[in-house]
Amino acid sequence: MLLVRFLCIFSFLGIAASFTPQKSSFVSQPLNGVGNGSSMEMGYKKVFVAGATRGVGLSVVEKLAANGIEVVALARTEEAAESLKKIDGVSVAIGDAFDQKRVEDVMWGCDAAITTLGGSTDDRRVDYEGNNNVIESAGILGVTRVLLVTSIGCGSSKEAAPPAVFEVLKDVLAAKDKAENILIKYYTNVNWTIIRPGGLVSEPMTGEAILTEDNTAIGSIHREDVADLVVKALNSPQTERKILSALDPSITSSVAVEGKKFESFAV
């Protein structure tokens, strides 16, 4: 039972699916069609993605490429890059997200950056170090659109996370929170968006997931739905300089408050 409990807690952040670390004019376009196979015009034409080899990051890459966006994906090893190389429109660069200069070199020429990095390597947490390198590289290169995927339980959403989850994951959440603060406080010329998913589930998307500004929101969400919301948020001016929680009211969650509803943020 103890093992099951800890596995459930760790799935809250999707840690098992994210251990691998890694300026054109904006034009607002309709956001219909993301994730359902139909095409969608986007203002950003070349997007850097870190955390791209699995989980939410891989799904983000697939959805961007499906909509005709050129993707530059960072992969830590050749082995991790294999699935990305099979996707049309995706350029894969081998590099470690702990290496800021390598991240900067790979990001060069992109007009937006998305990072879903999470996990640790040799006792170093990519949740802060890797994400910070993505943020710093964007600042150096003048990439003014940055989307950072963290977790419910960070910052203003601390009280939303169940105490048992927060206690076990407090170091992870602290590292993600530190990356959020760097982006918010020191990159004032960046049109950032922070998306905090709830408990992550590896099932096909429902299409019912929402973003909300309610920092008490808690629940579960499929990884593919998180990616769908990230791609929608990328091209939505309404999401700029916003911190949004992501959850799916249509699926059962052990951490959700029964009967509680949250106002959806329109993108």
Side-chain angles (χ1 to χ4, degrees):
M1 290 298 294
L2 183 61
L3 176 60
V4 171
R5 180 187 173 199
F6 271 73
L7 286 173
C8 291
I9 289 172
F10 280 107
S11 73
F12 182 80
L13 286 178
I15 290 175
S18 57
F19 247 62
T20 305
Q22 211 193 103
K23 180 168 165 183
S24 67
S25 299
F26 179 85
V27 180
S28 179
Q29 297 289 346
L31 293 171
N32 298 326
V34 177
N36 62 10
S38 58
S39 63
M40 167 186 169
E41 270 193 70
M42 302 183 90
Y44 298 102
K45 302 302 181 185
K46 188 175 183 181
V47 180
F48 170 87
V49 181
T53 58
R54 60 183 70 187
V56 173
L58 177 57
S59 189
V60 165
V61 170
E62 292 170 338
K63 290 179 185 298
L64 288 171
N67 283 286
I69 307 306
E70 184 179 353
V71 178
V72 178
L74 183 68
R76 191 162 178 253
T77 64
E78 289 285 355
E79 183 181 8
E82 286 306 311
S83 60
L84 292 168
K85 291 179 179 179
K86 299 174 184 177
I87 306 172
D88 290 339
V90 177
S91 301
V92 186
I94 305 303
D96 196 323
F98 287 116
D99 182 347
Q100 185 275 320
K101 189 61 174 67
R102 180 56 179 158
V103 174
E104 181 184 332
D105 290 343
V106 174
M107 193 187 297
W108 189 90
C110 293
D111 52 9
I114 297 172
T115 176
T116 68
L117 288 168
S120 63
T121 301
D122 299 327
D123 297 323
R124 298 174 69 189
R125 293 225 66 87
V126 75
D127 305 81
Y128 169 64
E129 287 191 62
N131 284 322
N132 182 62
N133 286 338
V134 173
I135 294 165
E136 182 178 348
S137 297
I140 291 170
L141 296 171
V143 178
T144 59
R145 187 71 172 117
V146 176
L147 278 78
L148 170 64
V149 179
T150 58
S151 175
I152 289 177
C154 292
S156 59
S157 68
K158 176 181 178 180
E159 300 302 320
V165 172
F166 186 85
E167 182 60 29
V168 172
L169 297 177
K170 60 185 179 182
D171 292 340
V172 178
L173 294 171
K176 291 180 182 293
D177 188 46
K178 190 175 178 182
E180 287 188 1
N181 288 331
I182 289 290
L183 182 57
I184 295 167
K185 293 180 179 179
Y186 298 107
Y187 290 84
T188 56
N189 292 326
V190 172
N191 290 324
W192 51 262
T193 301
I194 295 170
I195 295 179
R196 297 169 173 166
L200 296 174
V201 182
S202 293
E203 299 290 344
M205 66 180 290
T206 68
E208 301 295 327
I210 65 168
L211 295 172
T212 179
E213 289 188 278
D214 189 334
N215 59 23
T216 68
I218 186 67
S220 297
I221 185 169
H222 296 176
R223 287 176 172 83
E224 190 180 355
D225 278 299
V226 177
D228 188 59
L229 292 172
V230 168
V231 174
K232 286 180 178 178
L234 171 67
N235 212 48
S236 171
Q238 289 87 350
T239 67
E240 292 177 5
R241 297 177 181 267
K242 292 288 186 181
I243 302 174
L244 302 165
S245 295
L247 57 103
D248 190 337
S250 74
I251 62 176
T252 302
S253 171
S254 61
V255 296
V257 178
E258 187 175 355
K260 188 170 182 179
K261 297 182 179 181
F262 305 101
E263 183 177 354
S264 176
F265 182 87
V267 293

